[in-house]
Amino acid sequence: MNFLTSWFNRALASWRDLRTARAAEALGHLKARYHAFRILLADNEQALERLADVERALANRDGGEVSEAAARLMDTAFDLVDGLNRITGGRHMGLYDRQERLAQAVRRSLAAIAPREDHAPLCLALAEVDADQRRFCGGKAATLAQLRRSGLPVPDGFVATTRACRRFLSASGLEAKIRRSLGAVELGKSVDSATQEIRRDILAAPVPDDLAAELVAAWERLGKSLAVSVRSSALVEDKAEHSFAGQFHTELNVTTAEGLLAAFREVVAGNFGPSPTSYRRQAGLPLVDFDMAVLCQVMVPARCAGVLFTVDPAAPENGRMLLTAVHGLGTGAVGGDAPVDVFHPLRDPGEGDEAAMPSEIADKAFRDEVQPDGGVRRVAVPVAERGLPALSVDELRRLLRYARMIESLAGQPQDIEWAMTPDDHFRILQARPVRLAGRSRSSVRLGRGAVLLESGVTASPGRAVGQAHPARSAHEADPAHAPQGLRILVLRHSMVEAAQVLPEYDGVVVELGNPADHLSCVARELGLPMLTGMSGAMERLRGGQWIILDADRGEVLEAPEEAWSCADEGGTRECRRRAASRGSAPLPPDLAALHGLLVPLNLTDAYGPTFSPVECKSAHDLVRYVHEMAVLAMFDAGDAVLEEAGVLLRRLNESPIPFLVIDFGGGLAAQHSRRDIQLADVRSLPLLSLCQGMATPGLRWREAPPVGSVGGVLSRALLDGRSARPVGNFNYALVARDYLNVNARVEFHFAMIDAVCGAERRENYVRFRFKGGGTAREQRERRVRAVSEILKAFGFFTDRRGDMVTGTLAEPTQAEAQERLVMLGRLLGFTRLLDAAMVDDEMPGRVARAFLEGDYALEGLTAALAAAPEQA
């Protein structure tokens, strides 16, 4: 007997040791999985930063920088794939092959990139010019391109870039000659003599064949035989400190290819004319400046034209604008050699103020007009028309609205050249800052609306105007639910699912997020202004409110609704550049091929059928896919793996939902020999926050709902074997100091929570999924609608499919993550037996409002529920 007892005790001890060893091994695997996950999160952040580095290098056309940034990105992509397989036990081995194929293609593209001095294009369509191309295209072209994108009626055109102008000069050996001639001016040579020599040499030089071909092709793309104006767009002009107004050369009504090339030479020669050279000397600027671009636009055969200052430069404090107008082309108005009508409209007119504004109507004896075969001629105005105003009151009102639009977009008073077509449509020909006297510079503030939000972080540069459209889900972000016309998407956090709809918006404002996240990458790829870190945007910006998004300054400002509400009237809608044509300047073929392998994001719908390794066509796709799969791997921690930990599990009974807790490190105060632990033993911030929410007074943890039949619901739940965790199974919590993974069954509903709640905001997230059985499908879907509304109200981006809802909060601060976990704890208690309340289609909204108002017991709905028919 003693022998048997001894043998049994040894066998039992051996079994216990084996069980403990297996548990320790299982716990080791779980801890390794968790730590691999945290490393993967850091690698994901690094990958996005390196993706942004690639974008910057491509924009700079720097082959060496591109090669280095691309190689670093692909190295990190391999680390991500490796980390995912460590987390999932090798369930994604096929991604190694996908990553290697991409890496090989990238290496081939990098080998094809030859060092080059200047990757700037020779010609750019006006629709392709954005803030990044200002250094190639000059301020005039860049400003007009921005106005055109924002819905202003700017004539179409193209730009011969600074590279084209330098190519022309260097091909004829003129750069050295120009330097010598202008150097002699510094030593006392006559400006007129030196500039005449330069002009003669430039006009005699041939345009290189390749450049001539590009110029003519760009012109023909505008439309066969269209007349164009050819103007300067120097990098130095149209600035508040140095406008160079009227200093450079313009050729109007150019109608032939030969005329285009001749006009190009004239404008380049004008850069070194006597007037701009003297202007540079007086302003203390270098005389030798090759930063000239040439802007070619469709010619406007103007019925009338002129200049509008949005602040009267002679009296900036009088609250009025200054507007001049002439019949025909605006050459007389800008040149000062013709009588002009002068109007003094109020900056903020009331109803009918335009008719009573001070004005001086001139006797306009002649006008400039285009000739059919090219060029401009001056003709007499019929006597009966000489004293008529160039603009009617209604036309003045329309022009002033455009002026307010331009000023609000620029953020400061503007000097605007305009023209009106024979069929009475306005065209904006130029806009630049008004140069005001020093004592009046404070009036620059007049051009800016009230600041609504500030201190945002620029994810993608630029300015945009539109109606705010706050969206808390992919469904709400759908353009079908947004205002028509100019619109700006406002998000709680930077959810990549919104990338699918970005092309239909003019800008993006995000409360959370950062410039290196996925959505920011997409915004830059589309050339879409975007601000992140704009705290309070969802509350401060109302749906339909007209705002100015100034991503360059990190601000959101009020926009004058009366100006922008009609932005798509009068033919401007067709002038807007929408997403299909958005983007930066065309890359050379070799860089474009590399861009396609690295930057585009095709995997934008994590819940759709195309979210698979097969669709990973770029490094960006690979990064996105790995991150999503890694989060899901932690999110879906299975019972079988956890049960291997056996004796190492700790039971937390001091909460409405008992948990079996497993500690990855730092989640509990210390190792305990006892199985049961108390809240005082918990050190995991997210678990403590969840328990705090579950302990909220008023939750009906131990009570039936106020009214409604529970019997039918209960009987279904007890027989429901289809749900993810049948009634009676344990609830698990995997914890670390700043991490929580919960799989819980709350009555008849299944909930999963996964959260990182640390000091590094960019690694933080909260993810919640709610699903289950227990009642008829109609009631389950109503219940999910209520949960979805609650999640959206707390800033979660939601995806609702049938009777399941997933909510995600990306990159919250530690405090924000804790607050949302407290809310989720309350929600777990609130949703208990919630099906019984879902008696009609109005109840989801009413139940959600009750939760948001703190009526966790639904006492305010008792009367309504009692009066409703009992649900089976």
Side-chain angles (χ1 to χ4, degrees):
M1 186 69 179
N2 289 337
F3 171 78
L4 290 176
T5 302
S6 176
W7 176 87
F8 177 79
N9 287 336
R10 287 196 304 273
L12 182 61
S14 177
W15 176 80
R16 285 174 175 169
D17 290 343
L18 181 61
R19 185 183 176 198
T20 299
R22 286 178 176 174
E25 183 180 4
L27 180 59
H29 286 315
L30 282 173
K31 286 185 176 182
R33 179 182 181 184
Y34 164 71
H35 288 297
F37 174 66
R38 296 307 296 266
I39 292 171
L40 187 144
L41 289 181
D43 285 342
N44 179 77
E45 180 180 342
Q46 185 178 65
L48 292 174
E49 290 174 350
R50 290 182 170 179
L51 187 63
D53 291 340
V54 167
E55 290 183 275
R56 283 190 290 270
L58 286 168
N60 294 333
R61 270 71 165 176
D62 186 324
E65 186 182 350
V66 167
S67 297
E68 186 177 348
R72 288 199 305 262
L73 173 60
M74 294 313 299
D75 287 345
T76 307
F78 176 84
D79 292 340
L80 284 168
V81 170
D82 192 55
L84 178 62
N85 279 289
R86 289 176 182 275
I87 292 169
T88 61
R91 291 205 304 270
H92 296 272
M93 298 296 288
L95 283 179
Y96 285 112
D97 180 62
R98 178 68 54 176
Q99 190 276 339
E100 179 55 26
R101 289 184 184 182
L102 270 173
Q104 288 176 0
V106 168
R107 286 193 290 270
R108 287 194 296 270
S109 288
L110 290 175
I113 297 176
R116 47 169 72 89
E117 253 180 54
D118 191 349
H119 295 282
L122 293 173
C123 291
L124 275 175
L126 197 60
E128 295 169 339
V129 176
D130 61 20
D132 287 339
Q133 279 79 50
R134 179 178 288 268
R135 65 186 184 277
F136 305 135
C137 300
K140 183 183 297 179
T143 298
L144 289 175
Q146 180 186 26
L147 296 181
R148 182 177 168 82
R149 286 195 300 274
S150 298
L152 276 299
V154 174
D156 199 5
F158 69 92
V159 186
T161 65
T162 54
R163 181 188 170 209
C165 296
R166 288 179 177 175
R167 171 91 174 83
F168 165 56
L169 295 174
S170 63
S172 300
L174 293 177
E175 283 191 9
K177 289 183 179 181
I178 292 170
R179 291 184 187 278
R180 285 196 298 270
S181 294
L182 294 180
V185 170
E186 299 280 14
L187 298 175
K189 184 176 180 177
S190 163
V191 170
D192 287 342
S193 175
T195 55
Q196 284 174 11
E197 290 176 5
I198 293 172
R199 173 180 167 78
R200 184 173 59 250
D201 290 341
I202 289 177
L203 296 185
V207 178
D209 290 344
D210 61 335
L211 174 56
E214 288 222 28
L215 288 169
V216 174
W219 170 56
E220 290 178 343
R221 281 193 291 270
L222 295 178
K224 205 66 176 176
S225 302
L226 269 180
V228 294
S229 64
V230 183
R231 302 189 288 163
S232 67
S233 183
L235 269 59
V236 74
E237 69 177 313
D238 285 359
K239 298 180 178 179
E241 63 274 22
H242 303 299
S243 71
F244 278 81
Q247 304 300 308
F248 297 120
H249 188 79
T250 295
E251 289 284 321
L252 299 177
N253 200 33
V254 176
T255 58
T256 65
E258 295 77 10
L260 176 66
L261 299 180
F264 172 77
R265 283 192 291 262
E266 287 281 4
V267 173
V268 174
N271 186 37
F272 308 103
S275 188
T277 300
S278 298
Y279 188 100
R280 287 189 175 98
R281 289 186 77 182
Q282 294 167 5
L285 298 172
L287 298 189
V288 182
D289 189 343
F290 297 103
D291 289 332
M292 170 64 74
V294 178
L295 172 62
C296 304
Q297 287 180 280
V298 174
M299 185 68 194
V300 180
R303 192 205 84 194
C304 63
V307 178
L308 192 159
F309 293 88
T310 61
V311 169
D312 187 340
E317 308 299 339
N318 67 6
R320 293 189 178 274
M321 301 185 186
L322 176 65
L323 169 62
T324 63
V326 296
H327 293 312
L329 302 177
T331 47
V334 298
D337 61 345
V340 297
D341 293 344
V342 181
F343 303 89
H344 303 274
L346 289 169
R347 283 181 49 78
D348 299 303
E351 189 68 30
D353 283 347
E354 291 90 346
M357 77 177 75
S359 60
E360 300 90 42
I361 307 303
D363 180 23
K364 300 172 286 294
F366 56 85
R367 66 169 176 257
D368 294 331
E369 61 181 33
V370 299
Q371 298 188 88
D373 56 349
V376 175
R377 65 182 177 184
R378 180 159 287 186
V379 300
V381 174
V383 175
E385 299 176 13
R386 290 181 178 181
L388 295 178
L391 292 170
S392 69
V393 170
D394 179 64
E395 290 165 347
L396 279 166
R397 187 177 296 117
R398 288 165 51 204
L399 180 57
L400 295 181
R401 186 174 71 236
Y402 284 132
R404 289 193 290 272
M405 293 166 68
I406 294 168
E407 185 185 70
S408 66
L409 192 61
Q412 56 184 309
Q414 293 291 290
D415 168 2
I416 301 164
E417 291 183 21
W418 58 271
M420 177 175 275
T421 65
D423 56 351
D424 299 334
H425 287 108
F426 280 106
R427 295 290 180 259
I428 304 303
L429 307 180
Q430 184 168 326
R432 59 190 174 201
V434 176
R435 179 78 181 270
L436 299 173
R439 61 180 176 83
S440 303
R441 285 178 184 162
S442 61
S443 56
V444 167
R445 294 192 305 269
L446 297 171
R448 293 172 57 77
V451 176
L452 300 174
L453 297 165
E454 55 188 343
S455 301
V457 178
T458 302
S460 181
R463 288 172 64 90
V465 175
Q467 290 179 272
H469 179 60
R472 293 179 173 84
S473 67
H475 177 72
E476 290 183 5
D478 190 313
H481 305 293
Q484 297 305 301
L486 302 170
R487 53 198 177 191
I488 293 174
L489 183 61
V490 183
L491 299 172
R492 167 65 177 164
H493 55 96
S494 197
M495 281 301 297
V496 74
E497 283 75 13
Q500 301 174 82
V501 299
L502 280 200
E504 298 303 319
Y505 287 89
D506 295 273
V508 193
V509 177
V510 184
E511 284 197 351
L512 304 176
N514 69 83
D517 62 36
H518 291 287
L519 198 65
S520 298
C521 294
V522 175
R524 287 192 294 273
E525 188 179 352
L526 295 173
L528 202 69
M530 176 173 168
L531 279 178
T532 59
M534 190 53 81
S535 179
M538 294 292 288
E539 289 73 31
R540 294 286 304 278
L541 303 179
R542 307 183 308 276
Q545 178 182 8
W546 283 91
I547 60 172
I548 302 167
L549 164 58
D550 189 339
D552 298 327
R553 297 185 180 180
E555 296 177 338
V556 174
L557 308 98
E558 286 183 340
E561 180 176 352
E562 73 282 359
W564 284 100
S565 58
C566 300
D568 285 331
E569 290 184 358
T572 65
R573 181 61 184 261
E574 69 271 15
C575 294
R576 293 181 58 196
R577 178 165 66 92
R578 301 305 294 166
S581 60
R582 271 197 178 107
S584 58
L587 293 168
D590 49 4
L591 291 181
L594 183 63
H595 175 279
L597 292 169
L598 298 174
V599 176
L601 180 63
N602 306 292
L603 299 184
T604 56
D605 183 5
Y607 307 102
T610 60
F611 197 87
S612 74
V614 177
E615 297 300 322
C616 290
K617 299 173 181 177
S618 70
H620 196 171
D621 288 335
L622 198 63
V623 172
R624 163 74 170 136
Y625 182 81
V626 169
H627 179 264
E628 186 68 23
M629 291 300 103
V631 171
L632 285 178
M634 298 303 293
F635 193 58
D636 296 330
D639 295 342
V641 177
L642 290 169
E643 288 172 358
E644 288 288 332
V647 297
L648 301 181
L649 293 171
R650 300 289 176 259
R651 187 190 303 272
L652 177 63
N653 290 316
E654 196 181 357
S655 80
I657 301 177
F659 286 110
L660 294 179
V661 180
I662 199 161
D663 183 17
F664 286 157
L668 299 177
Q671 293 296 324
H672 299 280
S673 57
R674 63 182 188 278
R675 289 284 301 269
D676 293 338
I677 59 173
Q678 307 299 318
L679 277 176
D681 300 318
V682 175
R683 296 294 181 268
S684 172
L685 294 178
L687 179 57
L688 286 172
S689 299
L690 188 72
C691 292
Q692 178 185 339
M694 289 191 292
T696 299
L699 294 173
R700 291 177 174 266
W701 285 109
R702 302 290 180 259
E703 305 173 41
V707 293
S709 173
V710 182
V713 175
L714 185 59
S715 63
R716 283 191 182 90
L718 293 175
L719 297 174
D720 183 12
R722 297 167 298 166
S723 60
R725 186 184 297 276
V727 173
N729 278 29
F730 290 114
N731 303 307
Y732 290 104
L734 290 77
V735 300
R737 173 67 177 175
D738 59 356
Y739 177 72
L740 172 66
N741 179 285
V742 163
N743 289 257
R745 183 68 189 248
V746 184
E747 300 294 346
F748 322 121
H749 315 144
F750 179 60
M752 294 188 292
I753 299 171
D754 196 72
V756 173
C757 179
E760 181 51 62
R761 174 176 180 168
R762 290 170 64 171
E763 292 187 11
N764 289 348
Y765 66 87
V766 180
R767 193 161 191 160
F768 175 76
R769 179 173 291 166
F770 182 91
K771 180 178 170 54
T775 186
R777 182 177 184 84
E778 184 178 39
Q779 285 178 295
R780 295 202 307 269
E781 292 186 354
R782 287 172 181 163
R783 172 192 65 206
V784 164
R785 282 171 49 201
V787 173
S788 179
E789 289 302 311
I790 293 169
L791 292 174
K792 285 190 288 186
F794 281 91
F796 283 77
F797 198 91
T798 64
D799 182 83
R800 179 163 53 89
R801 309 205 175 193
D803 63 348
M804 182 178 77
V805 61
T806 301
T808 306
L809 185 71
E811 299 189 7
T813 64
Q814 186 176 66
E816 289 168 336
Q818 289 181 265
E819 290 171 3
R820 297 312 188 272
L821 286 162
V822 170
M823 181 276 295
L824 291 178
R826 292 175 184 143
L827 188 60
L828 292 178
F830 182 74
T831 54
R832 179 182 171 271
L833 298 178
L834 189 60
D835 302 323
M838 295 299 161
V839 295
D840 58 43
D841 286 339
E842 293 184 2
M843 290 309 295
R846 298 175 68 180
V847 165
R849 287 192 294 274
F851 181 89
L852 298 175
E853 293 168 1
D855 183 8
Y856 305 125
L858 292 178
E859 294 176 354
L861 293 179
T862 299
L865 291 174
E870 189 174 278
Q871 300 294 303

